[in-house]
Amino acid sequence: MLKIVPTSPFDDQRPGTSGLRKKTVVFQKPGYIENFVQSIMDCLKGFEGTTLVVGGDGRFFNREAIQIVLKIAIANGFGKILVGKGGIVSTPAASNLIRRRSAFGGVILSASHNPGGPHGDFGIKYNAGNGGPAPEQLTEAVFTRSKSITEYKILVAPDIDLDVLGLVRLGPGEVEVIDPVEDYAELMQELFDFDRIRSLFKAGFCFRFDAMSAVTGPYAGRIFVDMLGALPDSILNGTPLPDFGGHHPDPNLINAKHLFDLAMSPGGPDLCAASDGDGDRNLIIGRNQYVTPSDSLAILAANARLAPGYAKGIAGIARSMPTSGAADRVAARLGVHLYETPTGWKFFGNLLDAGLATICGEESAGTGSNHVREKDGLWAVLLWLNILAVRGESVAAITAKHWADYGRNYYVRHDYEEVDADGANALMQALRDALPGLTGALAARPGLIGADDFAYHDPVDGSDSEHQGIRLHFENGSRIVYRLSGTGTSGATLRVYIERFEQDRAQQNQETGGALADLIVLSRECARIAYYTGRETPSVIT
Ligand code: G1P
Ligand code: ZN
């Protein structure tokens, strides 16, 4: 039975860098998620009778939210919904399902790498028919709609059993509970040389993958263990849990320190890897060699031809602006274009759709390609495995050769988390005011040759995005970049990205860890970070 429920609008449903993200308790408010899903429905056109993909990262409230999405989507006219068993679908796998099954779009329930649970975060986003995050015009329209909505449509029906595979009727439509891994595993088999990777494991290659009690556990078990022959104990925390086992499912060197320690220990694994809450980020640490996401992007792009899916070469590389310039030199060597986009995966979608770029990446541990329209954690691990299998060298050797060949971008990101939002905005404004003529705190800084506020013109749809981060340009290609996070749920987070390029191998070898020391001091002085945020040092360094 269809029911029309009167409701009052909310005014806080503006989607950020990747969808609407709030504290779980906010999503549990009566009508909150219903209003947002109805607002999405109200902004979509021509979906009657078509298919929608629905799934999430398994966090607390995932199952309840999915039932609501199913009932509202069918009440609004969707004909069929594909939902992952147990409500589980990783973000890249959802992107693939939308594409492979020619769905109209998808609804993904996730707050990515943010902690879950009743006191953690929850999130929801809509992906379009190309499998990618909704374009900015659509998210703006949904936000506008969410502020004026007065009713939503929902089916009054018993909940669907998400744990039983198969097709069931729901009101005038149908729901198919599917294996969330199958289509994704098939795609990976098309892209990578599974025989070579199987031989690598057979030869004793030691591997650890930490699924962080989040969505990738079932994917990792099927692909690495069942299909590729890695030992079952290669997979750590392989069962998705509603609270991610109490851990922070962001695979950085702080939350995954145990992996770093393992990889640095004598006789440690050849490769340690991890993914985040919804499976789109990746962490790569070889024995005695951590690979920064920016370097990983460059190395993967330089070696992509070794995997069958990229054997014909790549059309172009795209990186987010704060990502280091390491990939730029790979693009130059390959003779392909390098696109520099604002932060957030959605900007890559147009480039991938238009065939302008093949490999994309962000410094925030996101790497991916034109195989889907999201970043993809397991994809990055598989491409590394494919490259390692073909080259027969260690991660450390491959990285060292890359630096010797292309030069090295020393790189670090400092996050000042949950600072006062007014202070953070004032800091950015002061920097902006000082840009013309390098005045204020930017005056007379050694080596500072220019500064700007990054703006992007999309070469495909012609749209412009302004105020995407303040860049200070120093001599020799060094940079300091400042921007405010668009994914936080309390206060503001200031991100500061610091980078220095060194071509000379001998010089690289002499560095003992202080390669960025001077720039770090400058990064604090130029933005008067302590003055505006009350913080002397960052809360997270990655
Ligand atoms: C962060 C990352 C960004 C990434 C996004 C979603 O956004 O910096 O690269 O695309 O998460 O995973 P931010 O919080 O910086 O806006
Ligand atoms: Zn994520």
Side-chain angles (χ1 to χ4, degrees):
M1 195 187 71
L2 179 79
K3 194 172 155 195
I4 297 183
V5 183
T7 187
S8 315
F10 295 90
D11 60 5
D12 65 343
Q13 298 194 326
R14 181 191 282 280
T17 315
S18 24
L20 179 66
R21 212 171 275 185
K22 299 278 173 198
K23 292 282 167 212
T24 310
V25 286
V26 175
F27 271 97
Q28 289 174 311
K29 286 197 276 194
Y32 194 85
I33 187 163
E34 289 86 347
N35 281 15
F36 189 71
V37 176
Q38 183 65 51
S39 299
I40 296 173
M41 299 292 143
D42 289 348
C43 294
L44 300 177
K45 285 190 187 65
F47 59 83
E48 287 72 19
T50 65
T51 300
L52 182 74
V53 170
V54 177
D57 61 13
R59 71 179 60 219
F60 181 81
F61 197 56
N62 188 47
R63 285 172 179 264
E64 293 85 340
I66 285 181
Q67 299 290 349
I68 294 170
V69 175
L70 299 182
K71 290 172 190 172
I72 293 185
I74 291 195
N76 277 276
F78 270 101
K80 180 172 182 176
I81 309 224
L82 298 173
V83 59
K85 185 165 182 255
I88 292 285
V89 180
S90 78
T91 294
S95 182
N96 179 48
L97 276 170
I98 296 169
R99 297 165 65 79
R100 285 221 158 187
R101 308 276 188 114
S102 305
F104 186 86
V107 172
I108 302 175
L109 291 313
S110 169
S112 186
H113 50 285
N114 294 15
H119 307 294
D121 292 345
F122 195 79
I124 178 165
K125 68 172 184 169
Y126 177 75
N127 278 29
N130 70 345
E136 212 139 55
Q137 308 87 289
L138 179 56
T139 54
E140 268 307 307
V142 171
F143 175 54
T144 304
R145 178 70 189 146
S146 74
K147 289 187 294 188
S148 66
I149 188 166
T150 55
E151 58 184 37
Y152 60 85
K153 285 187 217 153
I154 192 161
L155 288 179
V156 180
D159 283 354
I160 297 289
D161 186 344
L162 295 174
D163 296 310
V164 180
L165 291 175
L167 195 66
V168 289
R169 289 219 68 83
L170 178 61
E174 53 190 19
V175 174
E176 187 178 352
V177 180
I178 59 166
D179 171 358
V181 180
E182 200 172 297
D183 290 51
Y184 181 81
E186 267 173 29
L187 174 64
M188 294 301 117
Q189 243 177 320
E190 289 162 20
L191 296 176
F192 300 115
D193 192 336
F194 272 36
D195 289 337
R196 297 284 293 255
I197 302 176
R198 220 173 277 127
S199 308
L200 182 74
F201 283 129
K202 217 174 193 166
F205 183 88
C206 182
F207 175 59
R208 289 286 179 282
F209 177 82
D210 193 336
M212 304 190 99
S213 307
V215 80
T216 49
Y219 294 84
R222 184 91 57 85
I223 295 172
F224 295 132
V225 178
D226 301 350
M227 298 172 80
L228 292 169
L231 295 173
D233 66 5
S234 307
I235 312 295
L236 312 175
N237 301 309
T239 305
L241 300 174
D243 66 346
F244 304 130
H247 299 299
H248 192 149
D250 189 2
N252 61 30
L253 292 181
I254 293 150
N255 302 319
K257 183 169 183 302
H258 57 285
L259 275 188
F260 181 81
D261 293 343
L262 190 64
M264 298 302 142
S265 61
D270 297 290
L271 178 65
C272 291
S275 191
D276 72 328
D278 63 332
D280 56 1
R281 294 187 172 197
N282 72 87
L283 173 72
I284 300 290
I285 317 175
R287 180 182 295 149
N288 291 320
Q289 184 65 63
Y290 165 61
V291 186
T292 68
S294 294
D295 279 340
S296 184
L297 170 66
I299 294 170
L300 292 180
N303 292 277
R305 268 175 179 273
L306 302 180
Y310 308 94
K312 294 202 180 89
I314 60 177
I317 305 174
R319 65 162 171 84
S320 68
M321 178 274 283
T323 304
S324 96
D328 303 24
R329 279 180 299 285
V330 174
R333 179 88 57 95
L334 293 174
V336 299
H337 197 75
L338 183 288
Y339 297 88
E340 187 176 27
T341 63
T343 295
W345 204 261
K346 62 182 171 220
F347 293 95
F348 296 140
N350 281 347
L351 301 173
L352 295 169
D353 283 347
L356 296 175
T358 306
I359 304 255
C360 313
E362 294 194 278
E363 51 66 41
S364 54
T367 335
S369 85
N370 59 351
H371 68 293
V372 288
R373 293 294 179 272
E374 292 277 2
K375 55 191 177 241
D376 189 344
L378 287 180
W379 171 90
V381 179
L382 284 164
L383 182 49
W384 264 103
L385 284 169
N386 194 137
I387 292 166
L388 290 164
V390 174
R391 285 187 53 167
E393 294 169 285
S394 68
V395 173
I398 289 173
T399 307
K401 283 186 185 169
H402 188 90
W403 289 335
D405 199 6
Y406 291 90
R408 177 170 179 185
N409 290 72
Y410 292 90
Y411 188 86
V412 74
R413 184 178 99 183
H414 287 185
D415 292 333
Y416 297 79
E417 292 183 322
E418 297 192 16
V419 298
D420 175 60
D422 291 341
N425 287 322
L427 177 152
M428 293 300 285
Q429 193 51 49
L431 276 172
R432 238 166 236 135
D433 293 343
L435 291 180
L438 303 180
T439 55
L442 298 184
R445 293 294 179 187
L448 181 62
I449 52 175
D452 61 356
D453 190 354
F454 181 63
Y456 177 65
H457 178 76
D458 189 308
V460 182
D461 67 17
S463 64
D464 288 291
S465 304
E466 287 168 350
H467 305 303
Q468 297 296 322
I470 308 279
R471 304 189 286 190
L472 309 188
H473 302 281
F474 293 83
E475 280 158 357
N476 308 324
S478 295
R479 292 195 310 175
I480 301 174
V481 174
Y482 302 90
R483 59 177 285 280
L484 299 184
S485 157
T487 57
T489 54
S490 46
T493 291
L494 171 68
R495 302 202 196 284
V496 185
Y497 311 82
I498 300 152
E499 172 178 3
R500 181 169 83 77
F501 177 63
E502 180 57 68
Q503 177 70 61
D504 186 50
R505 185 66 186 155
Q507 197 63 38
Q508 288 174 21
N509 286 337
Q510 276 173 20
E511 291 293 355
T512 50
L516 294 168
D518 294 350
L519 281 170
I520 288 172
V521 173
L522 266 181
S523 77
R524 294 176 188 166
E525 292 175 0
C526 288
R528 304 183 65 201
I529 293 178
Y531 172 79
Y532 284 109
T533 68
R535 303 277 179 83
E536 297 290 338
T537 50
S539 34
V540 179
I541 299 178
T542 48

